[in-house]
Amino acid sequence: MAKLILSMDGLVLKEINLTKERTTIGRKPHNDIQIDNLAVSGEHAVIVTILQDSFLEDLGSTNGTVVNGQSIKKHFLQNNDIIELGKYKLKYLNETPVGVAKAADFEKTMVLRPGATKPAAAPASAASAPAAPAAAAAQAPASAKPFGDTVAGQGPATTMPPASAKPASAPQKSAALQLLSGANAGKELDLTKPLTTLGKPGVQVAVITRRPQGFFITHVEGASFPVVNGKPLDAQAHALNDHDVIELAGVKMEFFLKA
């Protein structure tokens, strides 16, 4: 389990286990990690933890957030990273091997912008068609280009199950988002990566993760939370179902599974 060691002037003050998906840091009492110091903003930064990986984001703080001596806006945390908030330091410890996400890739947050998507390929028929055999799912084309840039690197290749295996469950199938509004309406984003970030930095950002249990959406940045089927989410991860309609950063999109 990842954890943080809070210290000041070399004196360890507290140890915090990152058990939540969203851990807030700031001067105000409602933060998960409260640092009562004027150099720290009321809502200074947030750490989002998904599976074994964590990333840090500065929330527009007055004095900024520094990691390993470098000022950052977003940073994929690695074992022994030192986060500096004024005179305070938070040492990130995670001896679990880093997953598929890479620090360099994290900076490439997907932005819903014109020209970044590809034309839709009849998603309605794909979503409504009978489920294909597991072998066909395993042979899904690998050349499809993702919509914009994603946080994570390439995931492991799908392994074809034995003939006696049960049909592939939803997370073993491919999934996509079809944009329903905005400049890119009618276009698709294939969710081929383990971790995909989308939204508008500084306005509203969320991540969609592909887990063994299915696809999940988690709020990362912004005063308002993403809306799924007309209901605002909370800070916890939300499981996505076939044909869920997501509203994010002023854009509506439909999540659907592909055979």
Side-chain angles (χ1 to χ4, degrees), residues 100-118:
V100 295
K102 298 179 181 178
D105 291 331
F106 176 72
E107 298 300 328
K108 301 175 182 177
T109 302
M110 181 185 305
V111 181
L112 300 177
R113 60 186 185 276
T117 55
K118 64 177 185 176

Side-chain angles (χ1 to χ4, degrees), residues 20-252:
K20 298 176 63 177
E21 290 202 34
R22 185 178 173 87
T23 302
T24 57
I25 306 169
R27 191 178 68 253
K28 293 181 179 179
H30 68 264
N31 288 284
D32 298 302
I33 302 175
Q34 183 191 10
I35 301 177
D36 191 9
N37 185 278
L38 292 178
V40 179
S41 296
E43 296 176 351
H44 197 103
V46 64
I47 294 176
V48 176
T49 300
I50 300 174
L51 300 181
Q52 301 299 327
D53 297 328
S54 300
F55 59 85
L56 169 71
E57 176 145 7
D58 183 88
L59 297 177
S61 63
T62 301
N63 295 316
T65 302
V66 174
V67 178
N68 302 331
Q70 299 292 324
S71 179
I72 64 94
K73 292 297 182 183
K74 301 173 186 175
H75 177 77
F76 188 89
L77 289 168
Q78 301 181 66
N79 192 36
N80 291 320
D81 275 353
I82 302 295
I83 305 167
E84 298 178 51
L85 306 170
K87 295 182 180 180
Y88 290 84
K89 292 184 179 180
L90 286 163
K91 185 175 184 178
Y92 176 78
L93 297 176
N94 184 3
E95 297 180 356
T96 304
V98 177
V100 295
K102 298 179 181 178
D105 291 331
F106 176 72
E107 298 300 328
K108 301 175 182 177
T109 302
M110 181 185 305
V111 181
L112 300 177
R113 60 186 185 276
T117 55
K118 64 177 185 176
S125 60
S128 60
Q139 295 171 357
S143 60
K145 295 181 179 179
F147 165 55
D149 297 315
T150 56
V151 171
Q154 291 288 346
T158 306
T159 303
M160 186 180 299
S164 59
K166 294 181 179 180
S169 58
Q172 293 174 310
K173 297 177 182 179
S174 58
L177 294 173
Q178 182 185 9
L179 302 184
L180 303 178
S181 65
N184 293 310
K187 297 182 180 180
E188 282 185 28
L189 158 63
D190 287 327
L191 299 174
T192 57
K193 309 285 185 172
L195 187 66
T196 301
T197 303
L198 56 157
K200 293 181 179 179
V203 178
Q204 193 176 39
V205 177
V207 293
I208 292 181
T209 54
R210 180 172 181 163
R211 307 182 185 181
Q213 302 89 350
F215 290 86
F216 291 78
I217 183 170
T218 306
H219 175 74
V220 173
E221 176 189 356
S224 59
F225 289 84
V227 174
V228 177
N229 299 330
K231 296 182 179 180
L233 304 182
D234 54 24
Q236 302 303 313
H238 176 81
L240 289 170
N241 297 311
D242 198 17
H243 299 302
D244 275 353
V245 175
I246 303 166
E247 296 180 51
L248 177 68
V251 177
K252 287 188 177 182

